[in-house]
Amino acid sequence: MALISYYNQPTGSNIIDLNDSPYTRAHTVTLTVTTCQEDVESMNNFLAGKTAVTGIIDEIPEISYSTTWGDSPAAVLNEKIKKFTQHKWMKMFAQQRNTYKPPLVTDGWTQQFPKSAEPLSISFKFRAYPINNYYNTSAFNDIIRLLVFVTTPQYFRLSDTITSQAQSVYQAYDKGEELAGIMNSLKNSLGNEKISFRDIGNSIKNNKLQGSLASKEVKQNIDNLKEFIENLGNMEDNDTGGCPLIKLDINGLIKSSPKVKWLLKSWSFKPSLNTTYNNNPIYVDFNVSLQTQYVLTDTDLTEILC
């Protein structure tokens, strides 16, 4: 009875209740592939529109985050002062006084700060079956096709390289024109004699347009420049990156995010020895490893974990 309650599977059915089964609810993983606009048609044709696959992971994967630590400016300054005050000649003269007591530079841990970090990595295993939605998983052939599409190069033609370079030139030209327009507007607005840099500073500090019309125009142009720079590093666009990316969702552990996408580092599968009447393996075990596309910030980690 405990096992039936654990999975909450109706008698004689190959479907597990997603809402009432605690195991399925916590162990369901979904991989959704995204790609640039130019490859969407190719992706849909290759995957027959099945751009998301689902599996039930064997166990909840471990999530670890590592960073290296370095000396903060305070620690560097302390070290320089220590070299001066602890010099043998300085100590020789200082020790002539009976009240001399050399200071100890302590609290070294608080003088450290995060120096660099690494992308988040995760690995997990799951099982799939020949029939789609059998025990709430995608058919294993659909999963294999998705993994192949994400990690293998498409058919190569020299003309594709030329087309790709042409698109890069067009994009650079368009962005250059956009930046030139913003900079010219900013330059012209700064030439107005009626602007108040105090008003501009207060507007930037309070993130609110205020002051004269000329000052507001300068603030607006500064905001346009800031937005342009931020959009260059926008990771939410599917055109970002040079390969198909994965959106990962593990119920109760990792939330799918339009910004945080994953690179598929490696994958493998192992068919079962036993087969069905038409010679398909009765199940296939998959093992995949993913890594975030970039080093995540505190906001990114909060978005996918909390």
Side-chain angles (χ1 to χ4, degrees), residues 50-290:
K50 300 175 183 178
T51 57
V53 294
T54 303
I56 306 296
I57 53 179
D58 291 342
E59 59 183 21
I60 300 299
E62 176 185 351
I63 295 178
S64 60
Y65 189 80
S66 62
T67 183
T68 58
W69 293 79
D71 289 336
S72 69
V76 174
L77 181 60
N78 275 338
E79 187 62 28
K80 292 185 179 298
I81 294 174
K82 182 179 178 181
K83 286 181 179 180
F84 173 73
T85 59
Q86 299 299 308
H87 191 275
K88 63 180 181 178
W89 294 108
M90 294 295 295
K91 292 176 64 176
M92 182 184 71
F93 289 110
Q95 287 170 353
Q96 302 304 312
R97 297 183 64 90
N98 56 10
T99 57
Y100 170 70
K101 183 182 292 184
L104 297 178
V105 180
T106 58
D107 202 18
W109 174 248
T110 59
Q111 295 168 4
Q112 301 286 303
F113 76 117
K115 190 176 181 180
S116 62
E118 298 177 354
L120 194 66
S121 297
I122 190 170
S123 298
F124 51 85
K125 300 178 181 179
F126 63 94
R127 177 171 293 182
Y129 301 89
I131 304 173
N132 189 50
N133 208 31
Y134 192 83
Y135 291 119
N136 307 86
T137 69
S138 299
F140 63 71
N141 280 330
D142 294 336
I143 298 176
I144 293 174
R145 291 187 69 84
L146 184 141
L147 298 176
V148 168
F149 176 80
V150 172
T151 53
T152 57
Q154 299 181 34
Y155 176 73
F156 175 78
R157 292 174 298 185
L158 185 58
S159 59
D160 293 338
T161 304
I162 298 173
T163 302
S164 175
Q165 292 302 315
Q167 292 171 352
S168 300
V169 173
Y170 292 146
Q171 179 71 356
Y173 180 81
D174 291 341
K175 287 296 181 182
E177 276 198 326
E178 184 180 349
L179 178 59
I182 294 173
M183 295 303 294
N184 285 332
S185 297
L186 180 58
K187 177 183 175 182
N188 293 334
S189 60
L190 285 172
N192 194 317
E193 297 179 356
K194 296 181 180 181
I195 66 171
S196 168
F197 288 100
R198 180 183 296 275
D199 289 343
I200 295 172
N202 290 333
S203 297
I204 294 174
K205 179 181 178 180
N206 300 322
N207 196 26
K208 183 179 180 181
L209 288 173
Q210 59 187 46
S212 65
L213 183 62
S215 300
K216 291 180 180 179
E217 185 180 356
V218 174
K219 172 61 168 59
Q220 184 61 58
N221 286 322
I222 292 175
D223 289 344
N224 292 340
L225 178 59
K226 178 183 177 183
E227 182 180 0
F228 174 84
I229 295 173
E230 289 179 345
N231 287 339
L232 287 178
N234 180 18
M235 305 304 289
E236 295 187 19
D237 196 338
N238 288 338
D239 288 343
T240 302
C243 64
L245 300 170
I246 295 290
K247 291 181 183 178
L248 174 64
D249 183 271
I250 300 178
N251 284 0
L253 181 65
I254 295 179
K255 300 176 184 177
S256 177
S257 167
K259 182 179 180 182
V260 180
K261 299 188 180 76
W262 301 72
L263 298 167
L264 184 57
K265 292 176 59 179
S266 63
W267 57 274
S268 62
F269 68 91
K270 182 180 180 181
S272 66
L273 182 63
N274 297 324
T275 62
T276 63
Y277 68 92
N278 56 355
N279 207 33
N280 275 325
I282 59 174
Y283 64 82
V284 172
D285 287 328
F286 290 88
N287 191 347
V288 299
S289 294
L290 302 170

Side-chain angles (χ1 to χ4, degrees), residues 20-31:
D20 296 333
S21 167
Y23 182 86
T24 307
R25 187 167 61 248
H27 289 68
T28 297
V29 57
T30 302
L31 304 176

